[in-house]
Amino acid sequence: MPSPNRGRRTLTFFTGNRGKLTEVRHRLAPLGWNVVQGHRTLVEPQADDLETVARAKLEQVPRAPGPCLVEDAGLFIHALNGFPGVYSAYALRTLGPATVARLVPRGDRTATFRAVMGLREGAGGRPKLILGEVHGKITSAPRGSGGFGFDPIFVPTGEHRTFAEMTPEEKDGLSHRGKALDGLVRALRD
Ligand code: IMP
């Protein structure tokens, strides 16, 4: 029986986050990419920006022949001077989305979601960083059951629904990761 992956190229995504893995697979599968999960514990340095973290993660990834991907993302709430930002995973684990939403003052609920992907193509490939961001607002309480992480409290600009109230395709069309994926697709084509 022919393998379903025959003729497909493989990209290894080093992430422990199932939500991210699903979104990257969803976008790349129709373009002929088989996205496999890389299993390696990557140490994240204490840094103020996602780029530094993504670069450090990429350096720890084994030098495999095919393309390797890492990603670091964060929710930057403007009235909280960018918190939780690079500490988003910690804030989600310790507080959860409802408590983070309650920390945001009523007067300014604006926020930016950012993703930085790190790509290395082949063992000797040079690292490429690809950025995606989306502006929006934090709701007063979580809404919706789709997506993951902070999706239930983030409404992108021009929308009234949270990411968790959208289909995966709608989120992909607007999100920080969707925009970074546009850049990733271009980089993989070059
Ligand atoms: P990290 O890049 O894995 O450190 O992710 C930071 C935190 O932000 C994690 O807790 C993620 O679940 C959350 N996060 C990253 N991307 C998204 C997203 O697209 N929607 C909602 N939460 C996200």
Side-chain angles (χ1 to χ4, degrees), residues 17 20 23 44 71-73 88-89 92 113 148-151 171 176-177:
N17 186 314
K20 291 183 182 183
E23 292 185 3
E44 293 193 13
E71 191 216 80
D72 206 53
S88 291
L92 193 66
F113 235 135
F148 65 97
F150 293 109
D151 283 346
K171 180 185 170 189
H176 50 310
R177 184 161 302 100

Side-chain angles (χ1 to χ4, degrees), residues 135-137 139 143 153-157 159-163:
H135 301 297
K137 283 200 170 148
T139 56
R143 294 198 324 245
I153 62 165
F154 188 85
V155 175
T157 301
E159 260 290 338
H160 57 278
R161 293 170 302 164
T162 66
F163 277 154

Side-chain angles (χ1 to χ4, degrees), residues 8-189:
R8 295 170 75 77
R9 294 181 64 197
T10 296
L11 175 133
T12 309
F13 184 17
F14 289 83
T15 181
N17 186 314
R18 296 295 304 179
K20 291 183 182 183
L21 184 66
T22 303
E23 292 185 3
V24 172
R25 274 197 178 134
H26 199 267
R27 172 69 84 87
L28 294 187
L31 303 176
W33 286 93
N34 176 35
V35 178
V36 298
Q37 185 176 17
H39 296 281
R40 161 98 27 145
T41 306
L42 304 176
V43 181
E44 293 193 13
Q46 285 234 323
D48 288 343
D49 61 286
L50 300 175
E51 286 83 353
T52 304
V53 178
R55 212 181 276 282
K57 282 193 195 173
L58 194 57
E59 277 167 14
Q60 298 168 58
V61 159
R63 294 203 166 255
C68 289
L69 183 73
V70 298
E71 191 216 80
D72 206 53
L75 179 64
F76 295 77
I77 298 172
H78 303 160
L80 303 181
N81 293 332
F83 179 83
V86 287
Y87 306 107
S88 291
Y90 182 73
L92 193 66
R93 253 193 337 269
T94 53
L95 302 174
T99 304
V100 170
R102 277 199 299 273
L103 293 176
V104 185
R106 255 195 228 158
D108 178 10
R109 304 197 64 90
T110 59
T112 301
F113 235 135
R114 291 204 179 95
V116 177
M117 291 185 168
L119 171 71
R120 196 181 56 231
E121 294 189 79
R126 288 177 40 168
K128 271 185 202 151
L129 292 189
I130 305 158
L131 278 56
E133 65 174 28
V134 57
H135 301 297
K137 283 200 170 148
I138 304 297
T139 56
S140 52
R143 294 198 324 245
S145 55
F148 65 97
F150 293 109
D151 283 346
I153 62 165
F154 188 85
V155 175
T157 301
E159 260 290 338
H160 57 278
R161 293 170 302 164
T162 66
F163 277 154
E165 294 174 304
M166 297 181 186
T167 64
E169 290 74 18
E170 285 171 327
K171 180 185 170 189
D172 181 62
L174 298 168
S175 79
H176 50 310
R177 184 161 302 100
K179 289 174 185 161
L181 278 165
D182 292 342
L184 177 69
V185 168
R186 280 194 296 275
L188 290 171
R189 274 199 195 121

